[in-house]
Structures are given as structure tokens and as C-alpha cells.
Amino acid sequence: MKPVEKVRKSPRQSRAQESVDCILEAAARILEAEGEAGFTTNAVAQCAGVSIGTLYRYFPDKRAVLVALAERETETHRQAVIAAAVGENPAARDRALIRAFVGAFARRDKARRIAMKAMLAEADHAELASRFADAEVGITDARGRPLTRVQAFVLARAVQGALRAAVLEGADFLQSREFEDELVRLGRSYLGFGVATAR
């Protein structure tokens, strides 16, 4: 698979950034409403209210639009995760971190699945994971002991893996409280907390 040329031109002026934001928002709407079948650069440009030339000024093809959409949402999610990670109660913080992920893409699950597949096909997974390293800092077990690097890795990847699988497999329970509770139970059991703690 040839690498994706992500962005041809970086928007430097606010008007250019607005155009890019409109393109990405239009892409998300089309993906959610019509899936990949209706996702074309012409459809995205029309929905965004920009010319096809404007779209191609920033994105060489529709795959680049998908990757940029996923990157934008990943950054929004990263900021939400960092905000959630500063909570003082570790037993409540884990639930906030899970909710930050589940709420990504404004709950547009079909758009998220398609965009994530495109991004993950091209991503440097170590670099992608490093963006969320701040959320792993300061995690302690039930006895207040900081996790080792290996323990933090195992815990984070176990929860992330279940979340990612739910997205990529189109699980109909992704937004459910039951799924959230099970992920919280997984993490708290690993850390040695009781599972019926702060909600």
C-alpha cells in the first residue's frame, strides 16, 4: 500500500483554516449518512460549500481527507484525555478517560470507524500511542503504588484495544453504559480496586 500524501498545503490564514474545517466536517457528515459508498471528493466539496479545486489545494485525494479527519478527532480526543487525567480521584478518572474516547467524533460511529481504519493503515503506532503518554503518568494501584512502565502499558493497551475493536467492528454497544462499566471493571480489577467505586 503506498503511503498517503496527507496534506498538500497547510492552512496558515484563518479563512484557509475555516475551509479545511468545513471540508472535514462535511466529510464526517457524509461518512455518517452514506458510508464509504457516498464518500467522494466531489460530494465532500459540495457539502462543504467549497470548490473541488479548494479541496484539492489541501488534500490530494479522499483518503487524505479521511486521515486528516481521523487526526483531527484524535487530537480532540487527546486533549479530552489529558483534561480527564488530571482528576484527583483515580477511581473516577478511569471512567472519565473511557468517556472521552467513547464521545470522540461527536458520537458519529460510522464516520469514526471509516476514518480510523484509514489512519491506522498508515500510522506509526508507537508515535500515535506516545501522544497519550501523559494520561498514563501518575496512575497508581489500589495500594497507592505507581505502576511500572510495563504495567501501565498492559493496562492502557487492554482498555484501548477493547475500545478500538468496538469501533472497528461496529459494535452496537459502544455507547452503552454496560460497555463502559465493563471497561472500568477491567481497569479497576487490574489495579486492585473494588469495582463498585466512584461512577
Side-chain angles (χ1 to χ4, degrees):
M1 182 181 295
K2 70 177 185 177
V4 169
E5 181 188 353
K6 290 185 180 178
V7 178
R8 282 189 163 153
K9 179 181 178 182
S10 295
R12 288 189 167 81
Q13 298 177 342
S14 61
R15 186 173 172 202
Q17 185 60 58
E18 284 175 18
S19 293
V20 169
D21 290 342
C22 285
I23 289 166
L24 296 179
E25 177 58 26
R29 286 200 305 264
I30 289 170
L31 288 168
E32 193 62 24
E34 302 178 37
E36 288 186 90
F39 184 71
T40 65
T41 51
N42 283 323
V44 171
Q46 184 176 10
C47 182
V50 301
S51 70
I52 192 69
T54 297
L55 185 148
Y56 283 131
R57 184 179 309 151
Y58 300 106
F59 304 102
D61 53 36
K62 67 180 186 177
R63 190 163 180 81
V65 175
L66 284 176
V67 171
L69 175 62
E71 290 280 357
R72 182 187 75 167
E73 296 298 334
T74 297
E75 178 55 25
T76 300
H77 170 229
R78 189 182 77 84
Q79 294 296 334
V81 162
I82 290 171
V86 299
E88 292 188 20
N89 181 351
R93 181 173 62 178
D94 57 1
R95 191 174 289 276
L97 293 171
I98 289 164
R99 285 183 180 167
F101 182 94
V102 171
F105 272 77
R107 298 182 178 268
R108 291 171 168 154
D109 293 339
K110 188 188 296 183
R112 171 164 42 181
R113 182 170 64 253
I114 296 166
M116 276 186 64
K117 281 181 180 176
M119 183 182 74
L120 292 173
E122 306 295 331
D124 175 338
H125 293 269
E127 188 277 327
L128 188 59
S130 72
R131 297 183 202 176
F132 294 88
D134 290 347
E136 298 172 15
V137 174
I139 296 177
T140 58
D141 66 15
R143 296 182 183 180
R145 298 173 302 195
L147 299 190
T148 68
R149 185 167 156 258
V150 172
Q151 289 172 326
F153 180 94
V154 169
L155 175 60
R157 297 323 181 272
V159 174
Q160 290 167 8
L163 285 163
R164 185 176 290 177
V167 170
L168 297 179
E169 295 173 24
D172 61 2
F173 51 73
L174 174 63
Q175 309 283 353
S176 73
R177 179 58 183 256
E178 181 184 4
F179 184 52
E180 178 183 302
D181 285 346
E182 288 305 311
L183 290 173
V184 169
R185 188 155 72 102
L186 171 69
R188 292 183 188 175
S189 296
Y190 185 82
L191 294 172
F193 286 100
V195 295
T197 48
R199 298 173 99 69

